[in-house]
Amino acid sequence: MKNVSIAIDGPSGAGKSTLARALAREKGYLYVDTGAIYRTIGLSARRAGADPKDEAAVLALLPDTHVELRYGDDGLQHMLLNGEDVSQEIRLPEISLYASAVSAHPGVRAYLLDMQRELARTNSVVMDGRDIGTVVLPEADVKIFLTASAQERARRRCRELEQRGTPEPEETVLREIVQRDWDDTHRAAAPLRRAEDAVEVDTTQLDFQGSLDALLRVIGEKLK
Ligand code: DC
């Protein structure tokens, strides 16, 4: 049977990863978090002391940067950097900025493209990121553009940080979200934008279950 691809793109904090993971579980597909791959390259740049905005410096690291994606017994995606499991470390807030900077370089994006396409060629996937519907999987069976207002995304992120025991003021979080939205949508290489054939789902007014139901409706409709 043909593998099915569901592409979910959208700005940071719209709930992509939580919802994509739940959808993948529901459908029995593989969940691929592509942001984690960029974060791993960002971590590699940080460890090497490279300026993540310097494309030549980042590209020079790639031949010695072995990035691997593995699924644990828990079914969760783990990121390996030169064999070391860095799944926890890539979630540190400072790595978000490194990831955003390295992801702006066309050479980095090209380097990661095959890896992402190969996963979708060999598995049914729910893949989330910024350019999945537009660049990585333009032929995806279902494309969803997941959004929520910046204020609501900041509120959710603050709740998450609080639960982790590392609270941050809401205005700082909101400022970072607005900055990252701007960076991700204004870069020259594969900027974040809605694919023409993507269905937009705005979760500002929806809770988790409401969002999941909305996505399942869209998917059910598209795969009919
Ligand atoms: O989703 P995230 O916050 O883990 O992603 C980290 C960074 O990687 C984000 O700033 C944008 C970038 N990214 C990208 O450019 N393309 C993707 N497909 C996924 C993430």
Side-chain angles (χ1 to χ4, degrees), residues 36 45 47 153 155 211:
R47 283 185 174 179
R153 287 185 282 133
R155 266 195 294 275
S211 306

Side-chain angles (χ1 to χ4, degrees), residues 34-35 38-39 99-100 103 109 129-132 180 184 187:
T34 62
Y38 288 95
R39 283 171 180 273
S100 184
S103 73
R109 307 200 72 85
R130 304 293 190 286
D131 62 338
I132 310 306
R180 211 134 74 89
D184 291 345
R187 67 181 179 213

Side-chain angles (χ1 to χ4, degrees), residues 9-13 16-17 33-39 90-91 95-104 109 116 128-132 136 180 183-184 187 189-190:
D9 291 302
S12 56
K16 291 191 303 294
S17 52
D33 169 3
T34 62
I37 309 176
Y38 288 95
R39 283 171 180 273
I90 58 170
R91 297 296 153 197
I95 299 301
S96 301
L97 299 173
Y98 273 83
S100 184
V102 299
S103 73
R109 307 200 72 85
Q116 297 170 78
D128 78 1
R130 304 293 190 286
D131 62 338
I132 310 306
V136 180
R180 211 134 74 89
D183 291 345
D184 291 345
R187 67 181 179 213

Side-chain angles (χ1 to χ4, degrees), residues 51-63:
D51 174 0
K53 293 199 169 135
D54 180 345
E55 178 162 22
V58 175
L59 289 185
L61 296 174
L62 294 183

